[in-house]
Every structure is written in C-alpha cells, then in structure tokens.
Amino acid sequence: MIQVAALYVETNGSYSGLSNVDLWDEDRDARLYNGPYPVVAHPPCQRWGRYWHGSPAKPHQYCQGDDNGCFAAALHAVRIYGGVLEHPADSHAWRWFGLNHPHRKGGWISADKVGGLTCCVWQGHYGHFAGKPTWLYTHGINPQDLIWGPTEQRIHPEALKKYGYEKARRIGMMAMVGGRDKTRIRNSTPPTFRDLLIGMARTVSVRTKQ
C-alpha cells in the first residue's frame, strides 16, 4: 500500500495507528516535512477563519494569517509531493495565497496557475456531527466525484426543546456542545472523510507510475 504523510494532525487523533501513514503531529513540526510521500495536510485554521482576530468579546488580539508559516508550508508540500490540503470553508488563506474560491454547491475547479484543484465539500456527508463545509486544495491527484452540496438541515433536539425551531436552526448543532468537547468535535476528522483524503493522496503515485 502506498505510504502517505499526514501533516498537522493530533498525536492520538483519527490518523494515529494507521498502517502506511507517516504521522506528523505537533512534536514533529510538519513545517519541516521534506518528502518523499504524498501528503494529507490539516494546517491550523484559527488565524484564517471568521474569528481570526480572536474572541468576539475581545477582538483584535491576533493578526490574520499569523500561523507561524504552517499554511504556507502545507501548501508547498502539497504542490511539491502531491496530495490534499483541508481547511474550513471561507478560509481567508485562499485569498491570501491567490487561490480561487470553490463553488459552495460543489465540483472541482482550477485553483491556481500551477495545476492545483479546489472544491467545497461538506463533512456531514462523511460522518461529521455538524455539516462542516470544508475547502480542499489538491495537486497531482486523480480527482473524483464527491457527495456535493450542503448536508440536510441538522437541529439539535435539546436546542429545539429549549429555544424553538428558528433559534435552534440559526445557532446550529455545535452551539449545544460545551467545554473542551466543542473544539475537539469541531476539529475532528471523521474516519470516513479521513479515508477519503488518504485515498486521494494515494492516487498521486498511481498517476506517476502511469
């Protein structure tokens, strides 16, 4: 089976313990990855998302894109060794690095002038607790059709009971998850989606051999 490097992943997360997966967690510092395997990259998203500046209650604590070069290194690795990079939908990193924004309804489009592709896919189709729209950037893979488009409306039963339909719909599933679990669940990669990304990365070597 083709070896793949998983970059910027949790030490004991969903990529841990998989055969033929070279794990690059925080201790190994994925910015230092220099091949030779195709990659699945999950660079940190905190400084690229809606609240890149910090908590709404205490804004402007941080600078946009201040991730110590993680996204830049991940993008470079995907372009050099092939594979796929995952980030939340509407990530400011796409604009920052000159990548085309994918269509929310799905489908692959050209991402840049060096042969990259990008798309929007909803992890809820692949087992995530919430819908979690996600942007992918790929290079050198054999692109495939995914389950395109938004997931069905998901309403937390406790929110529905407590707030009624309109507010429950508006605040979404994650609003009813408290404490540390919220971050863990939001950031987690469902096994089905993880396997999909690994499968994409493994097509890099297949294409090379053809």
Side-chain angles (χ1 to χ4, degrees), residues 56-111:
K58 192 178 180 182
H60 307 299
Q61 302 176 71
Y62 305 102
C63 295
Q64 188 178 90
D66 188 11
D67 68 350
N68 294 315
C70 289
F71 189 94
L75 183 62
H76 177 75
V78 172
R79 285 172 167 170
I80 296 298
Y81 304 109
V84 57
L85 181 157
E86 175 270 341
H87 236 219
D90 303 315
S91 168
H92 291 289
W94 258 241
R95 174 186 52 80
W96 190 288
F97 289 93
L99 305 176
N100 296 324
H101 288 194
H103 303 303
R104 210 165 182 84
K105 63 183 180 181
W108 294 101
I109 66 167
S110 173

Side-chain angles (χ1 to χ4, degrees), residues 20 24 29 39 64 106 118 127 141 147 155 176 182 195 205:
N20 296 299
W24 285 74
D29 191 353
V39 306
Q64 188 178 90
T118 186
I141 73 160
I147 303 173
I155 297 176
M176 298 304 293
K182 179 174 290 190
D195 293 345
S205 293

Side-chain angles (χ1 to χ4, degrees), residues 90-172:
D90 303 315
S91 168
H92 291 289
W94 258 241
R95 174 186 52 80
W96 190 288
F97 289 93
L99 305 176
N100 296 324
H101 288 194
H103 303 303
R104 210 165 182 84
K105 63 183 180 181
W108 294 101
I109 66 167
S110 173
D112 50 33
K113 296 180 180 180
V114 297
L117 297 174
T118 186
C119 76
C120 179
V121 61
W122 297 64
Q123 290 192 44
H125 291 307
Y126 296 92
H128 199 279
F129 176 75
K132 197 176 181 182
T134 299
W135 285 359
L136 302 181
Y137 173 87
T138 68
H139 195 276
I141 73 160
N142 192 6
Q144 58 184 286
D145 279 336
L146 306 178
I147 303 173
W148 302 123
T151 57
E152 73 285 355
Q153 176 69 57
R154 297 181 178 181
I155 297 176
H156 199 291
E158 290 301 318
L160 183 63
K161 181 179 178 180
K162 186 174 183 180
Y163 300 118
Y165 173 76
E166 284 301 325
K167 184 173 181 178
R169 178 189 61 80
R170 187 172 64 253
I171 65 177

Side-chain angles (χ1 to χ4, degrees), residues 172-183:
M173 294 288 287
M174 293 304 305
M176 298 304 293
V177 180
R180 296 180 180 178
D181 281 346
K182 179 174 290 190
T183 299

